Amino acid sequence: MIYDNIFERAKKRGISINKLEEQAELSKGSICKWGKSVSPTVKSIKKVADILGCTVDELITEKKLKRK
């Protein structure tokens, strides 16, 4: 969920996950791990949110499915 939200926002801004990790001063591959079993710190999520121009809540909130 959190990885998917970050990936979508980064893609819309034209930022790769590797570049995002670099800008947020996170270790390489750390954001990808958030999509699996590793829980990020609030500090790390805040850095990513600031770079992506959104709130922490927007990154951690599960999106509702759109019904047709």
Side-chain angles (χ1 to χ4, degrees), residues 38-54:
V38 176
S39 296
T41 64
V42 174
K43 184 178 179 179
S44 295
I45 298 172
K46 176 70 170 124
K47 285 181 179 181
V48 171
D50 288 346
I51 293 166
L52 295 176
C54 63

Side-chain angles (χ1 to χ4, degrees), residues 2 4 25 29-30 33 42 44 48-49 51 59 62-63 67:
I2 188 168
D4 295 331
E25 300 175 342
S30 59
K33 292 176 186 173
V42 174
S44 295
V48 171
I51 293 166
L59 293 181
E62 189 170 351
K63 295 182 179 184
R67 296 185 183 196

Side-chain angles (χ1 to χ4, degrees), residues 11-66:
K11 186 175 179 180
K12 286 180 185 176
R13 295 189 68 126
I15 302 171
S16 70
I17 295 298
N18 288 338
K19 187 67 174 175
L20 184 58
E21 289 168 338
E22 183 181 304
Q23 290 178 358
E25 300 175 342
L26 300 171
S27 61
K28 193 171 188 176
S30 59
I31 292 176
C32 290
K33 292 176 186 173
W34 298 353
K36 296 178 179 136
S37 61
V38 176
S39 296
T41 64
V42 174
K43 184 178 179 179
S44 295
I45 298 172
K46 176 70 170 124
K47 285 181 179 181
V48 171
D50 288 346
I51 293 166
L52 295 176
C54 63
T55 66
V56 170
D57 282 346
E58 290 173 309
L59 293 181
I60 64 172
T61 302
E62 189 170 351
K63 295 182 179 184
K64 296 178 182 175
L65 296 175
K66 294 180 181 177

